[in-house]
Amino acid sequence: MKTLALIALLTIPFFGWNQIKFTAKNFDNGFRYPVIHFADNEPVQDSINAIIGRKIADLKTSDFCIGDYGYVQKGNHIELHLVCNCIDMDKADHRYYFFNLVDGTLVSHQDIFTTKKKEVALKIISHAIRKVKDANSCVADFGDITEDLDFSKMNIRLYKDGLEIRPSGTDCEKSPVRVKWTELSSCLKYNFI
């Protein structure tokens, strides 16, 4: 009974922590963007909102813009996806920003891995790339980089079950290589992901 009470006592603060909410704001030209509300940590909230503001400042000068956003949160990280389409753009611009919620900084996706396990994560990702046989996937765009793979050669995005991997510098959108959380669990900073 004491063990059950201790577990309940330890999990209650966990569920109250990290309560992140978003509200939408609009520029005068119509562009809609997110403002984060992080009641438990105002300095982190202010830092993330300032970074978002700097990243979208270029859109203020356009005469007319439409936009929307979405996000995926995993542990102490959140990835924002902004869809930006202004009258002076040839096509919509998709912007992805990955934040560390502990310190409110913009980080690369490798930040979700423990320092000692980043090389193991790279091996798992490289193996996943090599085993994909689908001709419509992004694998062909990777070329020979799987032999000497590092995080700078990949464009990583979160999805509900893991990571989507694309080669850096390509427009491969439709068929990324997917690596599930279960495959990467031994490398992650957070066991509950």
Side-chain angles (χ1 to χ4, degrees), residues 31-75:
F31 180 73
R32 182 176 179 219
Y33 64 94
V35 175
I36 191 169
H37 301 280
F38 193 14
D40 293 344
N41 199 329
E42 279 192 41
V44 167
Q45 168 188 294
D46 295 344
S47 174
I48 292 173
N49 285 330
I51 293 168
I52 293 169
R54 286 191 301 273
K55 295 292 187 180
I56 61 172
D58 62 310
L59 302 172
K60 278 186 178 182
T61 59
S62 183
D63 290 334
F64 177 74
C65 288
I66 57 173
D68 211 347
Y69 62 90
Y71 68 94
V72 178
Q73 181 180 353
K74 292 294 183 186

Side-chain angles (χ1 to χ4, degrees), residues 69-193:
Y69 62 90
Y71 68 94
V72 178
Q73 181 180 353
K74 292 294 183 186
N76 287 330
H77 291 87
I78 194 163
E79 182 180 78
L80 287 180
H81 174 200
L82 303 177
V83 181
C84 318
N85 198 357
C86 298
I87 199 163
D88 49 354
M89 293 179 170
D90 293 333
K91 61 180 182 175
D93 184 14
H94 294 264
R95 300 179 184 189
Y96 295 86
Y97 303 115
F98 194 63
F99 294 98
N100 182 316
L101 295 172
V102 174
D103 56 17
T105 56
L106 194 61
V107 295
S108 71
H109 284 79
Q110 66 179 306
D111 195 55
I112 62 174
F113 300 114
T114 61
T115 305
K116 293 179 181 179
K117 296 285 188 140
K118 287 181 183 179
E119 290 301 318
V120 174
L122 283 171
K123 287 179 183 175
I124 293 168
I125 292 167
S126 182
H127 177 73
I129 292 168
R130 282 195 297 270
K131 74 179 185 179
V132 171
K133 304 289 186 215
D134 183 4
N136 295 324
S137 75
C138 297
V139 172
D141 294 338
F142 275 105
D144 292 332
I145 67 167
T146 56
E147 296 304 318
D148 190 25
L149 190 64
D150 66 54
F151 289 104
S152 69
K153 296 177 182 176
M154 295 180 282
N155 177 338
I156 300 174
R157 294 184 201 151
L158 299 183
Y159 83 105
K160 68 177 182 137
D161 294 327
L163 300 177
E164 291 184 344
I165 311 294
R166 294 168 176 83
S168 289
T170 66
D171 291 330
C172 184
E173 285 298 321
K174 292 185 180 178
S175 301
V177 174
R178 289 187 165 178
V179 184
K180 293 189 175 189
W181 294 125
T182 53
E183 297 173 65
L184 294 165
S185 63
S186 67
C187 307
L188 297 171
K189 285 182 181 177
Y190 314 108
N191 291 328
F192 57 86
I193 292 182

